[in-house]
Amino acid sequence: MAGVRKNIYEELEKVKKLILGVQPQFDVRNLCVFLGRLGTHHYNKQGFLTGDEKKIYNVLIENSYNPYTVYRWSLLERIPDDIRFQLRNHYLSQKKASKMFFERRHETDTAIQISIRELGLRLIQGM
């Protein structure tokens, strides 16, 4: 079934349940940092994993989840609702959604003020 897109938020919930099934005391709030370590290890094959990390890493691999992909999904869980809506309706790719979130997070107040001013001036000129 090539070309069928998965809902990343549903898949991430499945992964969370899978991890909690293996490690019931796991702190889901630190999931992104934890998956970052697993994803980096999987992608670069550098560093060592501790006992719990190794166990969860093996569970992800056994259930056909790429740890780096799951890490990218966890990053997309943080994006604002408007970008999430576009991502969910397939108007944006995961990569573009991440880029938009990064740019928005690093905008300064002055850049936002200037863009609002320009939009206002365009609106007035259009009248």
Side-chain angles (χ1 to χ4, degrees):
M1 297 242 299
V4 176
R5 293 175 114 182
K6 295 180 180 179
N7 185 338
I8 60 172
Y9 302 107
E10 290 175 5
E11 289 294 318
L12 189 59
E13 286 302 316
K14 288 179 188 177
V15 169
K16 285 180 185 178
K17 289 178 184 176
L18 187 67
I19 291 172
L20 287 175
V22 175
Q23 293 290 110
Q25 74 278 9
F26 185 76
D27 184 16
V28 181
R29 288 176 285 161
N30 296 328
L31 181 68
C32 193
V33 174
F34 183 79
L35 289 173
R37 284 184 43 82
L38 296 182
T40 302
H41 173 75
H42 181 74
Y43 193 78
N44 296 328
K45 299 292 185 201
Q46 293 177 350
F48 296 100
L49 298 177
T50 62
D52 292 340
E53 291 172 336
K54 186 76 169 170
K55 189 185 302 184
I56 292 175
Y57 177 82
N58 288 333
V59 168
L60 289 175
I61 297 296
E62 289 169 1
N63 287 288
S64 301
Y65 286 107
N66 181 332
Y68 191 74
T69 302
V70 175
Y71 169 61
R72 287 195 334 248
W73 292 346
S74 69
L75 289 176
L76 290 173
E77 190 175 40
R78 298 177 173 183
I79 63 175
D81 290 335
D82 61 327
I83 298 174
R84 185 178 296 187
F85 175 78
Q86 292 178 6
L87 181 63
R88 189 172 282 153
N89 291 319
H90 308 297
Y91 298 133
L92 290 176
S93 67
Q94 292 179 14
K95 187 173 185 176
K96 286 184 181 179
S98 294
K99 184 178 178 184
M100 283 178 66
F101 176 56
F102 178 82
E103 289 172 353
R104 189 178 293 179
R105 192 176 60 195
H106 289 88
E107 277 183 343
T108 62
D109 290 335
T110 56
I112 294 172
Q113 291 168 350
I114 290 171
S115 66
I116 290 173
R117 182 175 176 263
E118 289 173 356
L119 287 172
L121 289 174
R122 278 193 232 138
L123 180 66
I124 292 171
Q125 287 174 349
M127 294 178 128

